[in-house]
Amino acid sequence: MKYFHQPVMLEEVIEGLNVRPGGVYVDCTLGGAGHSEAILKIINESVTGGQLVALDQDPAAISAAEKRLAPYKDRVLLVKANFATVADVLNELGIEEVDGFLFDLGTSSHQLDNPARGFSYQHDAPLDMRMDPGQPLTAGDLVNSLSEEELADIIKDYGEERWASRIASFIRAERKVQPIETTGQLVEIIKKAIPASARRQGPHPAKRTFQALRIAVNRELEILESAVSSAVQALRPGGRICVITFHSLEDRIIKDLYRRLASPCKCPREFPVCVCGGRKTLRIITSRPVVPSKEELESNPRARSAKLRVAEKV
């Protein structure tokens, strides 16, 4: 299956990163390499210097990018790694300062459209959802091994699903009869658990539960703040960081982190001057998140929940 992912807010990202010829940039979420290719085109305008480091934990993304980015092979380093290890990757490469970091969170179109990966509730497939197929834990493992209470917490906290407890109860009852091994099985359980009146409105009834399991399997929220913090530390003064989120939990983490790094003082408000010694690390460029244009949404409906936040190292 051809690896394709339409890059979200491509022009806005390039502008947000303030990409310049000869700069050093890190794409922490390579995906279909659309953002990486656009960055490389500008980097390549410099006769000397300039480099892009691109990370992805999905070997299919690395393999496809090797072909797509072949014209820039002297300027790009592709690394199979989770962005949680970005500090280690840069250390191993001997890169001390970076001009810009990009995090484009969530799943790629290739992962969603490939039934074998088990991300989609639209296809019947093994209940997998691993972004890195080499990791041991699958969504099926969680569904069949966690307690009812643990499942309910994951579905409620990560999926913001109001019927989380009822879905978890139905899952527990079903797995007593037989293991839950496919996405199709899970979708039918969710449909039975959610009352018909609630299923008639809003998104697909399985959307929130599938989102929650994907986040849990890949530890997406656990690693996000520390990874972005590591990236900020590696930015050179004036360097930019761009983060694209696709749901409220991710966006809240990035919004709060940016604010803390832009206003690190922890002194009580009544203090006339700062005595805690906190130092400002970031300047927030986007006071409100940038969202896709109407034209982009018409051509790429999957971008509808995307939000871009940009900050600059001071």
Side-chain angles (χ1 to χ4, degrees):
M1 182 177 180
K2 185 177 180 181
Y3 203 110
F4 175 77
H5 178 67
Q6 187 170 344
V8 174
M9 292 188 279
L10 181 59
E11 293 182 5
E12 293 87 342
V13 165
I14 297 303
E15 180 181 350
L17 285 174
N18 194 24
V19 181
R20 60 180 179 79
V24 176
Y25 297 88
V26 180
D27 184 347
C28 294
T29 46
L30 172 64
H35 289 117
S36 284
E37 184 177 46
I39 293 169
L40 281 164
K41 286 179 180 178
I42 299 175
I43 289 176
N44 207 43
E45 292 174 8
S46 172
V47 178
T48 59
Q51 186 177 47
L52 173 72
V53 179
L55 282 62
D56 205 294
Q57 59 186 325
D58 189 339
I62 298 293
S63 178
E66 287 175 347
K67 299 175 182 177
R68 180 170 184 172
L69 304 180
Y72 309 99
K73 61 182 180 180
D74 295 334
R75 298 290 181 99
V76 61
L77 287 171
L78 303 177
V79 183
K80 183 187 176 300
N82 187 302
F83 62 62
T85 65
V86 63
D88 294 331
V89 169
L90 294 178
N91 185 53
E92 291 173 7
L93 295 174
I95 297 175
E96 297 182 356
E97 287 190 319
V98 174
D99 293 294
F101 284 90
L102 169 63
F103 291 80
D104 180 8
L105 306 177
T107 51
S108 70
S109 295
H110 175 82
Q111 291 168 334
L112 288 171
D113 294 338
N114 185 351
R117 302 298 295 271
F119 284 99
S120 176
Y121 42 79
Q122 306 285 4
H123 307 284
D124 190 23
L127 195 53
D128 194 322
M129 300 193 192
R130 293 172 297 174
M131 292 183 179
D132 178 359
Q135 76 173 48
L137 189 70
T138 69
D141 294 329
L142 295 184
V143 166
N144 288 288
S145 65
L146 294 181
S147 69
E148 179 180 334
E149 292 75 17
E150 290 171 322
L151 276 173
D153 286 344
I154 285 175
I155 297 169
K156 179 182 178 181
D157 293 344
Y158 293 166
E160 300 177 297
E161 171 61 73
R162 62 176 294 200
W163 301 104
S165 295
R166 188 172 165 86
I167 292 170
S169 175
F170 274 59
I171 288 174
R172 184 176 69 86
E174 179 65 25
R175 73 190 187 192
K176 284 184 177 181
V177 179
Q178 61 179 339
I180 302 168
E181 298 177 339
T182 70
T183 56
Q185 283 178 276
L186 183 57
V187 168
E188 291 306 311
I189 294 168
I190 295 168
K191 286 181 177 179
K192 292 176 183 177
I194 298 178
S197 58
R199 295 201 308 270
R200 285 194 285 268
Q201 298 179 346
H204 191 286
K207 179 179 180 179
R208 294 186 178 92
T209 298
F210 271 60
Q211 171 186 291
L213 289 172
R214 188 205 80 216
I215 289 172
V217 166
N218 297 289
R219 299 177 52 244
E220 294 174 41
L221 297 184
E222 293 178 44
I223 64 177
L224 180 55
E225 182 172 326
S226 62
V228 174
S229 296
S230 295
V232 170
Q233 291 180 11
L235 275 176
R236 70 173 77 249
R240 297 279 186 89
I241 183 164
C242 292
V243 182
I244 301 174
T245 62
F246 286 86
H247 62 76
S248 60
L249 298 175
E250 295 171 337
D251 185 59
R252 195 176 307 141
I253 290 172
I254 299 305
K255 178 182 177 180
D256 291 345
L257 177 61
Y258 277 12
R259 282 183 172 177
R260 289 201 306 274
L261 295 177
S263 305
C265 177
K266 297 179 176 60
C267 296
R269 289 187 176 184
E270 59 269 21
F271 278 30
V273 295
C274 174
V275 296
C276 72
R279 296 181 61 188
K280 181 175 180 178
T281 306
L282 290 179
R283 178 173 70 92
I284 297 173
I285 302 298
T286 52
S287 57
R288 294 183 178 180
V290 179
V291 297
S293 65
K294 180 180 178 181
E295 292 73 22
E296 179 170 2
L297 292 178
E298 290 175 352
S299 64
N300 184 16
R302 285 178 175 169
R304 61 185 176 276
S305 58
K307 293 181 179 180
L308 168 66
R309 292 187 184 272
V310 185
E312 183 177 280
K313 186 77 169 281
V314 297

